[in-house]
C-alpha cells in the first residue's frame, strides 16, 4: 500500500486543484489571489466583456504575471513559451505509480 500526500487548493469551499507538492499548490493559490485582485481593477473599465470573459482575462494575466510585469516596466513584447497547464488532478499521476 502506498501513502500519498496531496495538497488541495480550495476556494470558497470549492476544490480547485490538487497537487503532489506544497510548492506547486502555493504557487497556484498565489496565482488565484492575483486573478481575484485583478478582477475589480479591470471591472472599473467598461470593456463590454461578459463575466466569464473578464475572469478568463484576469486568469490569463495572473498566469503570465512575469511577462506582464516586464511589459508594465517598459519592456518589449517577447515571444513566450506556452505556459504549462497544471494537471486537473494530480491523482492520475499517483494512481499510475502504485
Amino acid at each position: 500500500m502506498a501513502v500519498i500526500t496531496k495538497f488541495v487548493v480550495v476556494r470558497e469551499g470549492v476544490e480547485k486543484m490538487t497537487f503532489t507538492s506544497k510548492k506547486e499548490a502555493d504557487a497556484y493559490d498565489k496565482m488565484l489571489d492575483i486573478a481575484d485582485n485583478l478582477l475589480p481593477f479591470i471591472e472599473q473599465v467598461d470593456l463590454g466583456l461578459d463575466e466569464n470573459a473578464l475572469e478568463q482575462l484576469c486568469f490569463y494575466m495572473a498566469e503570465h504575471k512575469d511577462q506582464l510585469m516586464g511589459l508594465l516596466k517598459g519592456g518589449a513584447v517577447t515571444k513566450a513559451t506556452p505556459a504549462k497547464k497544471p494537471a486537473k488532478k494530480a491523482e492520475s499521476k499517483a494512481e499510475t505509480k502504485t
Side-chain angles (χ1 to χ4, degrees):
M1 176 191 290
V3 175
I4 301 170
T5 302
K6 295 181 185 178
F7 297 90
V8 181
V9 177
V10 177
R11 289 288 175 135
E12 300 173 6
V14 177
E15 185 178 316
K16 294 294 184 177
M17 193 77 67
T18 301
F19 297 91
T20 55
S21 80
K22 184 175 182 344
K23 183 178 178 180
E24 289 175 330
D26 286 341
Y28 188 77
D29 187 50
K30 183 175 181 177
M31 186 194 57
L32 291 178
D33 285 339
I34 292 168
D36 285 346
N37 292 336
L38 281 171
L39 191 60
F41 177 75
I42 294 177
E43 282 179 332
Q44 293 176 10
V45 180
D46 186 19
L47 298 174
L49 299 174
D50 64 17
E51 186 177 333
N52 188 39
L54 191 57
E55 287 177 0
Q56 286 179 336
L57 175 62
C58 292
F59 191 79
Y60 178 82
M61 292 172 74
E63 268 187 320
H64 299 88
K65 69 178 175 68
D66 294 334
Q67 191 176 12
L68 182 60
M69 288 300 294
L71 290 170
L72 291 173
K73 290 179 182 177
V77 176
T78 58
K79 192 83 167 178
T81 57
K84 264 187 168 177
K85 291 192 177 196
K88 233 359 179 178
K89 297 280 181 186
E91 295 150 310
S92 61
K93 289 181 186 175
E95 290 174 0
T96 57
K97 292 182 182 178
T98 54

